[in-house]
Structures are given as structure tokens and as C-alpha cells.
């Protein structure tokens, strides 16, 4: 499109606030846009993978003090930081580390690898002082097999914890020779059967994931009570919310019926079954009500559930005000306008105008989207255009650490793979399963061009990105064209524009095939977003607010934009994304 001025001038003046030193500083760019107890809806949440964020102790592994040291990057109260409203910490509990922390051996304290409870309290204080909420990952479907509860449970068939896990005898016709007959046909998400024989107890136990991650028996009221006590303890410590790991798998069918097979089987055993009886049981609703009531007793708390391997419509059924549910619609889309348009329309239908979705493009279980969506491209155009989608589609955006600098998957040689499900899987599983190398998306954060990216003074637990010397936070902070600059600006814009936070979503139909154009609107303002997914030119019709005096650019990935009259056809360059606001007369 015709180029005149960079949208810089359209933005509100940056807050000239000093860096926070004293009492906390609430970012307040425009009156009325400060986040209150509805931050879970208006805000932006950032996933910290603590092992890979920042190492303060020089052991090559990230830790809580490292996170504290880097909080100013996340939000220092000015637009010179990212400006996120909350962090979600992947598990920081004691763990043998067989599922890299998702195998918890004590839910009530901190793994010494990451620090102490005092460090945690300091993290909460320092985060809160900056207006950053802290969300903990709760892994409650299973524990580590090293958890004292499991050790006690496996010791004998009687005793207080005997029924805390899911133990079953083999079918009745069992004899020593038939030991391998399992209670049913359920399979583990990490490959192989979901049942492991335990010699001590002389029974099988259930594990949806690794054999070292036995599933808890959620039908036992004592298990539920113990979990709620633990949750209360963290709330008392000041945490602002929880991410619930695989929450829809907590309850299994009471009779543990075998799962039906799929008519058309998938490549992995897990995909060849219809997972009817090992998740999504009606009793989950009862527990969610109890758990959510506990969380809701405290002002301004929230939760987000990881919807695990199930139909997308359940995300709508399980979610409620303050209690979000990840649906992974967008994460599984190819980089095409029609795919994102369809997925967004489906999500809108699932949640309805009153429901509230999340927007997620990357996390610790998936290939990073800068790699996944742009295998062919070495530059950052796709990462920036994807940032526009992430931060302007309807729903609470969840960023995954490193995506704000366009971090890509880091190739890990087979001999260096850490992730146990990948190491165990063998070559066939590696070829067939997306879980084969989650390490690639968990690389240490490159902060500077120092050795080991300023992440640590020693060789980190996982390989650094090969381009860490050039792709790092310090370098991008100094470059107004960087991915980081785009994220900062877009998050700032969200803060300034209620339409981008809570506005209704409507697709604009007049656009070329590779362009997805949509409006976000409240009663008071309308914002238009257009993203060209194509590697050739595209266009859209800037319309949807006839009362407007035209469309004023707020942001563009390609720097130079001009205002457009209502109804104008606007040309976009390859992979260009723009955000425009309806001019003043529409607000009349
Ligand atoms: C969730 C976590 C994943 C973990 C699994 C088992 O899917 O995101 O990292 O391996 O649960 O806890």
C-alpha cells in the first residue's frame, strides 16, 4: 500500500515512568485500561519454562532467582519491557525429572534445583511489585513413582494409602504364565500399555504417561481432599492461579472398561483407540466445581486447564469465567489464511460470544511456531505476523518464553536427547510421534551475546540455539524492527485498546485468498486486523465501520503504513500484517 508515515505517531506517548524501585508500579497507559480482577481475560500470560529461563547459580539449569533477575524483561512498568500480566511457571516441585518435572514427588515445596520456598516467596513479591501475577502448574492426574504416597500405596494392599492409586488384579483366568494379561486395553500416551505390573503389591497399576507416573485414584475422597489442601497452601502463599495439567484425565470410568478401537486407526497405539473411558468422565464437573469454588474464594485468581487429547468442543463445556481451558485448535494449523480462518470460526462457535477462549501458538510440548509455521523461511516475517494473530484474536494470549525473539526449534542430536519419552521411544516412535523431541522447543533463553547466551556461565542442561549470538534479547531490544519490538508494541496496543482485549470478533469477507482480515469491536471502538499469510502480494477491503472517518494505522509488521478511507482496497506485501483503528468520527 502507499507508504507515508510509520505508525509510531499514532501510538500514545510511552509512559515516561522510572524503572521500578520502590512500591509496585501499575502500567497504566490509558485511563480505564488498567487491569483489575479481570486480568485473566484482558491480560497476556507468559509461560516460563524454569529450567531454561535463567541460571543464577551457575549449574547450567535455570532457577527461581534467575526468573527474579529477569522480571524486568517481562514487565518493568514501561513499554520498554514486554508488558505481560502474568507468568505461568512449568513445574518447580521436587521431581526425579523423568518427565522433566511433570513427575512430582512432593507437591508442597520447591525442588532444590530451582531454589527454596523463600526464593519462591521473593519471586511472588517481586513479580507482584511489577504487576505480574504468578500462575503455578499443578500436576494432579499422577505423581512420580518416587512420591511417598505411591511408595506407601505399593507396599501393601491394605493401609491408609492402599487405594490412592489405580490398582487392579489381572483378569480372573490369570495364572503365572499369563502375567501379561492386563486389566484392559488402555495405552499410555508415551507408548506401550498403560498398566505396569508391580511385584511388591502383586497387582497392575495404571499410568496414562510413563510407568514412573502412576495415576492417582480421583474417586478416593482422601486424594481429592489432599489435593485441595495443597492448593489452599499455594493460595495462602499468594499465587494468583493455576494451570491444570491434563485435567480432563483425572477421572476414569468406574469399571475401567476397555476403550473401543477407532474405525480408522492412527499411527500410534494411542491414536488407534477412542479414549472413551480413560478421561472426560462426568464426575470431573463435580470436582471442578469444588476446586474452582476454592480458588474463587480469593479475589482475582484464575485457572487454566490443559485439555488433553479430546474433542475440541469440550473446551467450551469445561471453561467458565476465570477458569480458562486451552484448546489447541490454532497450534495445529498450517500457515494458511483459510486454515486459521476456519479454526478461529470453529473456536468462536465452540465458546460462543459469552465464552472466553485462550490463544496459544507454542508451548513446551510442541515444535516452536517460528519453526513450525515457516520451515522455508529464515527471516522473522512469519514470527511477526503470527504475533499479530496471537495478540489480536479473541481470547487470552499465552506466550511461550523465547517466542518474543522468534526463537526456533533447536536441533538436538539423538545422543543428546534428554526428554525420556523420546529416549525410550526408539526409532519408530521417534518417527511417528510428535513427542519424540520436545527438547527442541526447550532450549535455554538467549539473553545476550555472551557465552551460553548469558543464560548461564557454564554449559547449559540443553543446547543453546545455534544463532544465540545474534538472536537474543539484548540485540533485539536495540532493534526497532525485531520480533521483540513487535511483541512489545502489540502488547502495548492491547493495553491501550479495549477492543483488542475484549471486543467481539468478526471476519471480513472481502480479502484475497491468502489474507485473513477481521474486526475486533466494542460499543466504543473498532480495530481492524489483516494478515497476509502468502509469499506474494494480497489485499483486503478496509470496511466494517461505516461511521468511521477512515482507518488509522496502529501497527504494521512492515513499518510504513498510511491511513485508509472506509471501503478502500488495501494492498499488503508478502507476510505483511497490519492493525488499524476506525477513525475518530466513528466514536462520535
Ligand atoms: C502434559 C504436559 C506434558 C507432560 C504430560 C504428563 O501434557 O504438558 O509436558 O509430559 O502432561 O504430565
Amino acid at each position: 500500500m502507499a507508504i507515508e508515515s510509520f505508525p509510531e505517531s499514532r501510538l500514545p506517548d510511552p509512559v515516561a515512568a522510572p524503572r521500578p524501585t520502590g512500591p509496585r508500579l501499575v502500567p497504566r497507559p490509558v485511563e480505564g485500561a488498567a487491569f483489575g480482577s479481570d486480568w485473566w481475560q484482558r491480560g497476556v500470560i507468559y509461560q516460563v519454562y524454569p529450567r531454561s529461563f535463567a541460571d543464577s547459580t551457575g549449574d547450567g539449569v535455570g532457577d527461581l532467582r534467575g526468573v527474579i533477575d529477569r522480571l524486568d524483561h517481562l514487565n518493568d512498568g514501561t513499554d520498554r519491557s514486554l508488558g505481560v500480566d502474568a507468568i505461568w511457571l512449568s513445574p518447580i516441585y521436587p521431581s526425579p525429572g523423568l518427565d522433566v518435572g511433570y513427575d512430582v514427588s512432593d507437591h508442597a515445596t520447591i525442588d532444590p534445583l530451582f531454589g527454596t520456598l523463600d526464593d519462591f516467596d521473593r519471586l511472588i513479591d517481586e513479580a507482584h511489585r511489577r504487576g505480574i501475577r504468578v500462575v503455578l502448574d499443578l500436576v494432579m492426574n499422577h505423581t512420580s513413582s518416587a512420591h511417598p504416597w505411591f511408595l506407601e500405596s505399593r507396599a501393601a494392599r491394605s493401609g491408609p494409602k492402599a487405594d490412592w492409586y489405580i490398582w487392579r488384579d489381572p483378569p480372573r483366568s490369570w495364572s503365572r504364565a499369563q502375567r501379561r494379561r492386563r486389566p484392559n486395553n488402555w495405552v499410555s500416551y508415551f507408548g506401550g500399555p498403560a498398566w505396569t505390573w508391580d511385584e511388591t503389591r502383586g497387582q497392575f497399576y495404571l499410568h496414562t504417561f510413563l510407568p514412573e507416573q502412576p495415576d492417582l485414584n480421583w474417586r478416593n475422597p482422601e486424594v481429592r481432599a489432599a489435593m485441595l489442601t495443597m492448593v489452599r497452601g499455594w493460595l495462602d502463599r499468594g499465587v494468583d492461579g493455576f494451570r491444570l495439567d491434563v485435567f480432563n484425565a483425572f477421572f476414569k470410568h468406574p469399571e475401567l472398561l476397555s476403550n473401543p478401537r477407532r474405525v480408522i486407526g492412527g499411527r500410534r497405539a494411542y491414536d488407534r483407540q477412542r479414549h472413551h473411558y480413560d478421561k472426560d468422565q462426568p464426575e470431573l464437573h463435580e470436582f471442578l466445581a469444588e476446586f474452582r469454588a476454592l480458588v474463587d474464594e480469593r479475589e482475582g485468581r484464575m485457572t487454566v486447564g490443559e485439555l488433553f487429547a479430546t474433542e475440541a468442543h469440550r473446551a467450551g463445556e469445561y471453561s467458565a469465567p476465570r477458569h480458562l481451558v486451552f484448546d489447541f485448535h490454532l497450534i495445529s494449523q498450517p500457515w494458511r489464511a483459510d486454515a486459521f480462518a476456519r479454526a478461529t470460526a470453529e473456536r468462536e462457535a465452540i465458546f460462543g460470544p459469552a465464552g472466553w477462549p485462550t490463544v496459544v501458538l507454542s508451548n513446551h510440548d510442541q515444535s516452536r511456531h517460528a519453526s513450525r509455521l515457516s520451515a522455508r523461511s529464515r527471516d522473522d516475517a512469519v514470527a511477526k505476523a503470527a504475533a499479530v494473530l496471537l495478540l489480536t484474536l479473541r481470547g487470552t494470549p499465552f506466550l511461550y518464553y523465547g517466542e518474543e525473539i522468534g526463537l526456533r526449534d533447536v536441533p538436538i542430536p539423538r545422543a543428546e536427547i534428554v526428554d525420556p519419552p523420546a529416549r525410550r521411544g526408539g526409532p519408530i516412535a521417534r518417527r511417528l510421534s510428535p513427542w519424540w523431541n520436545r527438547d527442541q522447543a526447550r532450549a535455554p533463553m538467549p539473553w545476550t551475546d555472551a557465552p551460553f547466551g548469558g543464560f548461564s556461565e557454564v554449559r547449559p542442561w540443553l543446547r543453546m540455539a545455534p544463532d544465540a549470538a545474534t538472536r537474543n534479547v539484548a540485540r533485539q531490544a536495540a532493534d526497532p524492527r525485531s520480533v521483540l519490538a513487535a511483541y512489545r508494541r502489540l502488547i502495548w496496543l492491547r493495553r491501550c485498546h479495549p477492543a483488542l482485549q475484549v471486543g467481539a470478533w468478526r471476519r471480513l469477507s472481502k480479502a484475497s485468498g491468502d489474507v485473513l482480515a477481521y474486526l475486533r469491536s466494542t460499543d466504543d471502538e473498532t480495530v481492524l486486523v489483516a494478515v497476509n499469510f502468502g509469499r506474494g502480494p494480497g489485499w483486503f477491503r478496509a470496511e466494517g465501520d461505516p461511521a468511521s472517518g477512515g482507518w488509522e494505522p496502529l501497527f504494521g509488521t512492515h513499518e510504513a503504513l498510511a491511513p485508509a478511507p472506509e471501503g478502500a482496497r488495501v494492498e499488503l506485501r508478502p507476510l505483511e500484517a497490519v492493525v488499524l483503528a476506525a477513525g475518530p468520527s466513528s466514536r462520535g
Side-chain angles (χ1 to χ4, degrees):
M1 82 187 261
I3 316 295
E4 273 160 29
S5 59
F6 184 54
E8 193 86 42
S9 57
R10 295 285 312 157
L11 287 166
D13 287 340
V15 173
R19 295 176 78 74
T21 47
R24 68 161 253 61
L25 220 154
V26 183
R28 208 180 284 267
V30 289
E31 214 43 57
F35 298 150
S37 58
D38 58 354
W39 64 273
W40 58 273
Q41 182 176 31
R42 293 176 183 260
V44 174
I45 302 182
Y46 181 100
Q47 181 185 359
V48 171
Y49 194 70
R51 261 165 223 261
S52 297
F53 200 60
D55 170 21
S56 74
T57 55
D59 63 356
V61 180
D63 47 56
L64 294 183
R65 287 184 191 199
V67 179
I68 295 170
D69 292 345
R70 297 293 179 179
L71 284 175
D72 279 348
H73 163 68
L74 299 177
N75 194 344
D76 72 357
T78 75
D79 69 345
R80 294 182 300 275
S81 65
L82 202 50
V84 301
D85 302 277
I87 51 175
W88 145 31
L89 295 168
S90 281
I92 48 175
Y93 316 100
S95 159
L98 288 166
D99 188 12
V100 205
Y102 284 88
D103 49 326
V104 176
S105 54
D106 181 353
H107 290 83
T109 189
I110 307 293
D111 194 322
L113 188 67
F114 298 124
T116 62
L117 277 169
D118 284 347
D119 294 330
F120 182 75
D121 291 343
R122 227 190 101 218
L123 170 60
I124 298 251
D125 287 349
E126 290 289 331
H128 285 177
R129 205 161 65 75
R130 292 167 175 81
I132 304 173
R133 272 78 169 184
V134 178
V135 173
L136 278 193
D137 211 321
L138 282 186
V139 190
M140 301 200 288
N141 176 67
H142 44 269
T143 67
S144 158
S145 55
H147 196 296
W149 296 347
F150 187 71
L151 298 181
E152 193 178 331
S153 191
R154 96 186 321 172
R157 291 186 184 211
S158 57
K161 301 275 188 303
D163 190 34
W164 279 44
Y165 292 82
I166 302 177
W167 294 100
R168 283 296 181 278
D169 290 324
R172 246 180 294 144
S173 59
W174 175 81
S175 72
R176 278 210 160 270
Q178 290 170 311
R179 177 169 292 174
R180 299 187 64 177
R181 284 196 57 198
R182 300 184 180 88
N184 65 23
N185 69 354
W186 294 1
V187 286
S188 153
Y189 202 67
F190 285 153
W195 295 97
T196 287
W197 178 256
D198 184 71
E199 280 300 341
T200 321
R201 182 150 158 161
Q203 279 186 307
F204 284 103
Y205 67 89
L206 180 72
H207 52 90
T208 303
F209 297 93
L210 295 173
E212 293 83 358
Q213 292 170 294
D215 282 38
L216 281 158
N217 176 13
W218 277 83
R219 292 180 183 278
N220 182 337
E222 289 175 19
V223 169
R224 293 210 292 274
M227 285 304 185
L228 292 178
T229 302
M230 177 270 291
V231 167
R232 202 171 286 114
W234 289 115
L235 287 170
D236 290 345
R237 273 210 121 81
V239 308
D240 301 281
F242 301 103
R243 177 253 186 198
L244 297 186
D245 193 59
V246 300
F247 77 104
N248 58 314
F250 291 179
F251 284 88
K252 282 79 180 169
H253 190 276
E255 291 164 39
L256 303 181
L257 300 177
S258 274
N259 278 322
R261 301 198 77 71
R262 283 190 193 283
V263 180
I264 301 172
R267 290 180 303 174
R268 292 174 299 169
Y270 195 90
D271 298 326
R272 288 197 292 269
Q273 283 184 13
R274 294 171 60 206
H275 291 269
H276 258 321
Y277 298 120
D278 49 357
K279 57 173 183 54
D280 295 313
Q281 297 298 303
E283 294 82 353
L284 175 63
H285 287 284
E286 246 170 66
F287 170 70
L288 286 181
E290 200 181 351
F291 167 73
R292 289 171 174 180
L294 173 62
V295 172
D296 290 348
E297 280 170 13
R298 328 276 173 122
E299 169 83 19
R301 308 298 210 275
M302 59 81 73
T303 69
V304 56
E306 182 202 22
L307 192 70
F308 171 70
T310 200
E311 304 90 350
H313 69 85
R314 295 200 187 264
E317 282 167 33
Y318 290 135
S319 65
R322 293 181 300 287
H323 301 291
L324 304 169
V325 174
F326 287 134
D327 74 287
F328 294 124
H329 256 80
L330 297 176
I331 237 175
S332 53
Q333 299 308 317
W335 184 249
R336 290 204 323 262
D338 61 339
F340 272 75
R342 199 177 319 110
T344 305
E346 277 167 19
R347 282 155 45 87
E348 290 292 322
I350 284 171
F351 286 92
W356 197 253
T358 61
V359 191
V360 186
L361 292 178
S362 285
N363 66 31
H364 64 291
D365 292 329
Q366 311 283 339
S367 164
R368 285 185 175 274
H369 70 260
S371 292
R372 198 178 68 234
L373 298 176
S374 69
R376 286 193 297 136
S377 161
R378 287 282 89 203
D379 71 31
D380 285 329
V382 170
K384 289 184 200 166
V388 171
L389 292 167
L390 182 80
L391 293 160
T392 64
L393 284 172
R394 195 174 74 96
T396 303
F398 281 75
L399 274 59
Y400 181 51
Y401 84 96
E403 74 172 66
E404 74 272 33
I405 54 168
L407 206 61
R408 288 167 164 72
D409 290 337
V410 174
I412 310 280
R414 196 167 289 179
E416 280 181 32
I417 289 177
V418 173
D419 192 21
R423 292 232 313 264
R424 288 178 190 197
I428 295 177
R430 281 194 207 107
R431 190 158 48 81
L432 298 183
S433 165
W435 296 82
W436 78 270
N437 191 354
R438 295 183 296 177
D439 290 350
Q440 65 185 354
R442 298 174 177 179
M445 181 79 163
W447 294 100
T448 64
D449 56 10
F452 309 121
F455 164 80
S456 174
E457 283 166 10
V458 300
R459 184 169 300 285
W461 73 288
L462 266 182
R463 274 188 183 222
M464 299 293 308
D467 59 352
T470 49
R471 182 183 297 283
N472 58 57
V473 173
R475 175 88 60 124
Q476 292 205 4
D479 175 2
R481 297 167 183 225
S482 64
V483 182
L484 181 58
Y487 270 85
R488 286 179 174 176
R489 179 55 47 90
L490 285 161
I491 292 175
W492 188 259
L493 277 179
R494 272 183 72 89
R495 218 170 255 291
C496 301
H497 291 273
L500 287 176
Q501 300 162 16
V502 294
W505 179 88
R506 180 160 71 83
R507 186 180 177 190
L508 290 176
S509 56
K510 291 185 192 146
S512 62
D514 282 336
V515 171
L516 173 58
Y518 51 89
L519 300 177
R520 297 288 313 282
S521 42
T522 59
D523 290 345
D524 298 324
E525 68 167 347
T526 305
V527 173
L528 190 161
V529 181
V531 177
N532 182 9
F533 288 68
R535 287 165 198 281
W539 60 269
F540 67 97
R541 186 80 60 194
E543 61 185 15
D545 194 337
S548 104
W551 296 89
E552 297 291 335
L554 294 176
F555 175 83
T557 52
H558 287 44
E559 296 180 16
L561 283 176
E566 168 71 14
R569 181 180 146 126
V570 180
E571 306 293 330
L572 290 174
R573 290 162 282 187
L575 296 172
E576 182 171 13
V578 297
V579 183
L580 307 127
S585 64
S586 69
R587 268 166 246 141

